[in-house]
């Protein structure tokens, strides 16, 4: 049985720099604040000597990208999930397959955006520091800055990852399903990846920014819940009526975009948890968080919180945990000049 994660998704310590803002300690220097057990070869400030300007370069490009199209910020955050949760954080999502058998060609990669933007950032970094910074690290830094530019935390990012040479459609098809998983499958999948229920509920909070296409949720929630040709009874009826106006029934590849957090889709805040609690979240996998005592308790606490600081700290920890999945470091993998190399 393959356990899958929605589109999106250890022992931890408080992350003091999680909600960094200008005027506070630079996240690149907050080595002692990182959670969990370290991974050999990864470190905050990994490029301090070889490419000291890399974080500034990535942030500058991300500012330009988001200024042109705000939806690319959330898209690049999703991009890291697709990279790290398939074969680990190794930029294998960027590889092209001449036989259409790569991760890009998998069903869950439909609608994924960010390929050109990763290449754009990589080109700027290459001009300053040739063959030094991996595509995998650029994806992780871009995801962090996507959060920051949406008024979220600018947490410290470990670097030192190297790029993988394998990209398989099979892996992505197994690990990145439609967002219709129930809570048992979600928790089991996270456990297999070495992450826990808190990583699940915190990383699901990424849905507080961005949009999703109608085709990713309309059938499950609006028109054919459980294959019965009806609406999901757990979905708020007023919200469902609004969604029905946007999403056409029976249109299999409906690309109409809908905000995942209808109140504040551009702001990284607690809106997602309030949506889940009020039955106005978009995906079945979002609503599934209410079916477990631990994840439900976290949703309820964040929905009632006056400040997002606890969520920001937890999010920094969870992203660090995900950023350590199956990484290639040292002499493993490679540093590519361009990210979209061809594989078979």
């Amino acid at each position: 049985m393959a356990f899958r994660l929605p589109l999106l998704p250890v022992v931890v310590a408080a992350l003091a720099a999680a909600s960094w803002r200008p005027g506070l300690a630079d996240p690149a220097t907050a080595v002692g604040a990182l959670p969990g057990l370290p991974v050999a070869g990864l470190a905050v400030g990994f490029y301090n000597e070889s490419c000291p300007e890399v974080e500034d370069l990535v942030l500058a490009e991300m500012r330009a990208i988001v200024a042109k199209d705000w939806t690319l910020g959330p898209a690049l955050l999703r991009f890291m999930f697709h990279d790290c949760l398939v074969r680990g954080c190794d930029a294998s999502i960027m590889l092209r397959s001449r036989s259409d058998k790569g991760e890009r060609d998998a069903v869950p990669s439909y609608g994924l955006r960010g390929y050109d933007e990763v290449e754009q950032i990589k080109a700027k970094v290459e001009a300053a520091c040739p063959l030094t910074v991996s595509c995998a690290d650029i994806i992780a830094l871009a995801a962090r800055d996507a959060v920051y530019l949406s008024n979220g935390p600018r947490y410290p990012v470990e670097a030192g990852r190297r790029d993988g040479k394998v990209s398989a459609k099979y892996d992505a098809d197994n690990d990145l399903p439609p967002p219709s998983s129930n809570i048992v499958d979600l928790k089991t999948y996270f456990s297999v990846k070495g992450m826990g229920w808190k990583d699940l509920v915190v990383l699901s909070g990424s849905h507080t920014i961005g949009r999703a296409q109608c085709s990713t949720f309309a059938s499950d929630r609006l028109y054919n819940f459980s294959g019965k040709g009806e609406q999901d009874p757990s979905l708020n009826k007023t919200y469902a009526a609004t969604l029905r106006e946007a999403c056409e029934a029976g249109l299999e590849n409906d690309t109409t975009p809908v905000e995942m957090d209808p109140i504040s889709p551009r702001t990284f805040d607690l809106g997602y948890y309030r949506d889940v609690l009020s039955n106005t979240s978009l995906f079945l996998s979002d609503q599934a968080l209410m079916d477990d005592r631990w994840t439900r308790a976290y949703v309820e606490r964040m929905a009632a919180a006056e400040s997002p600081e606890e969520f920001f700290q937890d999010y920094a920890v969870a992203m660090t945990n995900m950023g350590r999945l199956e990484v290639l470091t040292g002499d493993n993998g490679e540093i590519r000049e361009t990210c979209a190399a061809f594989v078979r």
Side-chain angles (χ1 to χ4, degrees), residues 315-330:
Y315 194 80
V317 171
M319 287 293 282
T320 299
N321 291 341
M322 185 175 70
R324 291 171 171 171
L325 293 178
E326 304 173 67
V327 293
L328 302 172
T329 61

Side-chain angles (χ1 to χ4, degrees), residues 6-9 186 200-209 221 259-265 267-290 295 298-300 302-303 311 315:
L7 296 178
L8 357 51
L186 289 172
L200 165 61
V201 69
V202 172
L203 292 176
S204 294
S206 299
H207 289 172
T208 195
I209 55 173
R221 305 221 72 188
E259 283 77 12
M260 290 190 286
D261 174 9
I263 303 300
S264 53
T267 305
F268 199 87
D269 57 16
L270 297 172
Y272 168 79
Y273 295 106
R274 293 163 184 154
D275 295 338
V276 173
L277 189 61
S278 64
N279 297 321
T280 56
S281 56
L282 208 55
F283 303 124
L284 285 173
S285 57
D286 294 326
Q287 204 59 44
L289 297 178
M290 298 300 290
T295 56
Y298 189 88
V299 169
E300 291 171 345
M302 290 303 102
F311 172 50
Y315 194 80

Side-chain angles (χ1 to χ4, degrees), residues 95-280:
L95 294 171
R96 296 180 181 272
S97 169
R98 298 186 188 279
S99 56
D100 298 328
K101 295 180 179 179
E103 291 175 32
R104 289 190 184 210
D105 306 301
V107 171
S109 298
Y110 170 77
L112 188 64
R113 303 164 65 211
Y115 300 104
D116 292 341
E117 287 69 31
V118 171
E119 290 288 12
Q120 174 183 330
I121 299 169
K122 174 65 168 173
K124 289 288 186 179
V125 173
E126 280 295 305
C129 312
L131 295 176
T132 302
V133 181
S134 68
C135 299
D137 282 341
I138 286 173
I139 290 171
L141 290 168
R144 184 271 304 277
D145 289 341
V147 170
Y148 175 61
L149 293 172
S150 301
N151 204 36
R154 192 166 193 254
Y155 50 86
V157 172
E158 294 174 321
R161 301 169 189 82
R162 289 169 67 85
D163 300 327
K165 303 177 183 180
V166 177
S167 182
K169 178 180 178 180
Y170 172 84
D171 292 326
D173 280 334
N174 280 337
D175 291 346
L176 293 167
S180 56
S181 303
N182 62 41
I183 192 62
V184 174
D185 283 349
L186 289 172
K187 288 179 67 177
T188 303
Y189 178 79
F190 268 67
S191 177
V192 168
K193 289 290 183 178
M195 296 189 290
W197 68 265
K198 191 167 186 180
D199 295 305
L200 165 61
V201 69
V202 172
L203 292 176
S204 294
S206 299
H207 289 172
T208 195
I209 55 173
R211 295 172 171 173
Q213 295 180 353
C214 285
S215 60
T216 63
F217 66 86
S219 178
D220 290 327
R221 305 221 72 188
L222 299 177
Y223 301 115
N224 195 26
F225 176 71
S226 296
K228 298 178 181 179
E230 59 187 32
Q231 180 179 300
D232 181 354
S234 72
L235 186 63
N236 178 282
K237 290 181 173 55
T238 301
Y239 181 51
T242 300
L243 293 177
R244 284 173 176 268
E245 292 179 3
C247 303
E248 184 177 343
L251 187 57
E252 184 176 353
N253 295 316
D254 190 347
T255 60
T256 304
V258 174
E259 283 77 12
M260 290 190 286
D261 174 9
I263 303 300
S264 53
R266 301 189 184 200
T267 305
F268 199 87
D269 57 16
L270 297 172
Y272 168 79
Y273 295 106
R274 293 163 184 154
D275 295 338
V276 173
L277 189 61
S278 64
N279 297 321
T280 56

